[in-house]
Amino acid sequence: MEGYPSHYHSAVEIIICMQSDYVVIVNNEHYTLHPGDILIIPPHAIHKLICTAPGIRFIFLVNLDPYTSFQDYKTMQPIFLKAHLISPGTSRHYELLYNNFAKMIEIYFQNDIFWETDIFSLFFKNISICAKEYFGSKNTSGASISTDVQKEHYDKFSKLLIYIDEHYADDLNLEDTAAIVGFSKFHFSRLFKQYTNTTFYDYLCKKRITRAQEMLAENIPVTSVAYETGFNTPSAFCRCFKKHTGYSPSEFRSKSEQTKIEADFH
């Protein structure tokens, strides 16, 4: 019956619903988890777990710090900017993903030698599957696309997302950013929306807010956070932060790590 009030932490959280339904609110978005559903919650996202009936779930807390320096991590930022639901209806690789998470649970409780390495290998395998599924499903017409075209698009957007990750605090604009991957701004806008499910400017804002959440958790002054994440004024930063998280920067900072779940993996 236990739920958890609004909180956040630096680890990515994975909730696997085993019995009964659970309502999870992540940055003001509601998710109803049914048995078998899996929800991946990105680091520093404010979330709340509501339980109205006795049930069973497994919760993983995974420290992504060793992975954030990887080029792949920067490329797959679109799937880490909001909660990612995995269910039979949302993933064609659901069974494989679920079985890998189940194996992680089994390994954890066996407590055998090198259990951390075995668990992380399965976790990264699942993240790779989710990312390949995400990028592989993106095409304009809805028809299947060739492997060569898919690879070409991936290469271009990988380069672009890495650039944004490294320059999000700069004064980026649509036309100059489109030129980096050799697209007109109109073609770029269409493909960017297709690959990230959002506009260029909204993605850039979310990227800045994600970094701001990390900085606020480190008790850096709000004004400094605003300017260091690319906002022209603290007021513009506060409006954008509230829009994407539902909280003001000061309210977010006041949310200490309230979860009673101890990190399973470090």
Side-chain angles (χ1 to χ4, degrees):
M1 285 292 294
E2 188 174 13
Y4 297 97
S6 296
H7 66 283
Y8 68 90
H9 34 68
S10 60
V12 63
E13 181 168 319
I14 304 163
I15 302 176
I16 304 177
C17 183
M18 306 296 293
Q19 181 188 83
S20 297
D21 292 350
Y22 296 92
V23 174
V24 184
I25 304 173
V26 186
N27 285 343
N28 282 340
E29 291 194 43
H30 288 62
Y31 300 85
T32 299
L33 303 188
H34 307 294
D37 286 352
I38 302 163
L39 187 67
I40 301 178
I41 302 173
H44 295 100
I46 293 181
H47 55 283
K48 178 180 182 180
L49 181 62
I50 301 172
C51 177
T52 58
I56 300 170
R57 75 267 181 165
F58 285 99
I59 299 178
F60 299 82
L61 294 176
V62 184
N63 177 13
L64 289 182
D65 286 350
Y67 190 50
T68 54
S69 62
F70 284 30
Q71 179 171 305
D72 282 352
Y73 178 79
K74 298 176 182 179
T75 302
M76 62 176 64
Q77 283 296 291
I79 68 172
F80 278 113
L81 291 181
K82 61 180 295 184
H84 187 68
L85 177 65
I86 300 170
S87 69
T90 63
S91 173
R92 64 181 182 274
H93 296 109
Y94 166 79
E95 186 173 350
L96 175 58
L97 292 166
Y98 184 90
N99 288 340
N100 282 344
F101 280 123
K103 183 64 175 177
M104 287 168 62
I105 296 171
E106 180 183 341
I107 292 171
Y108 177 75
F109 285 108
Q110 285 176 343
N111 197 28
D112 202 355
I113 60 173
F114 299 114
W115 64 271
E116 285 184 304
T117 301
D118 289 338
I119 283 175
F120 266 100
S121 66
L122 287 166
F123 171 73
F124 289 135
K125 178 64 176 176
N126 272 2
I127 293 300
S128 175
I129 292 170
C130 288
K132 289 176 181 177
E133 184 175 75
Y134 180 89
F135 282 99
S137 67
K138 305 298 179 181
N139 64 83
T140 305
S141 65
S144 57
I145 56 178
S146 70
T147 301
D148 289 343
V149 172
Q150 180 180 323
K151 181 64 165 59
E152 178 186 359
H153 285 178
Y154 167 80
D155 288 343
K156 286 179 178 290
F157 274 87
S158 175
K159 177 182 177 182
L160 173 66
L161 294 174
I162 291 171
Y163 181 84
I164 294 175
D165 184 79
E166 295 173 347
H167 297 275
Y168 64 87
D170 297 343
D171 186 19
L172 300 181
N173 63 66
L174 180 63
E175 191 165 3
D176 290 344
T177 307
I180 292 172
V181 288
F183 291 141
S184 70
K185 65 179 182 180
F186 303 106
H187 186 51
F188 172 78
S189 294
R190 185 170 64 253
L191 281 180
F192 194 90
K193 180 67 178 290
Q194 176 186 323
Y195 271 78
T196 65
N197 291 324
T198 189
T199 66
F200 166 74
Y201 286 110
D202 197 45
Y203 178 86
L204 178 60
C205 185
K206 288 179 180 177
K207 176 63 185 175
R208 289 170 170 173
I209 294 302
T210 297
R211 176 56 184 145
Q213 289 175 311
E214 297 172 359
M215 296 176 70
L216 289 168
E218 298 168 0
N219 288 321
I220 297 173
V222 172
T223 299
S224 297
V225 173
Y227 290 124
E228 290 182 32
T229 52
F231 291 91
N232 293 326
T233 65
S235 60
F237 166 62
C238 291
R239 285 195 303 271
C240 187
F241 194 93
K242 180 99 175 184
K243 174 185 175 182
H244 287 284
T245 69
Y247 295 87
S248 69
S250 58
E251 288 171 335
F252 177 86
R253 172 167 282 160
S254 70
K255 296 287 181 184
S256 60
E257 298 197 11
Q258 299 169 18
T259 181
K260 297 179 182 178
I261 305 174
E262 293 186 359
D264 288 332
F265 309 116
H266 301 278

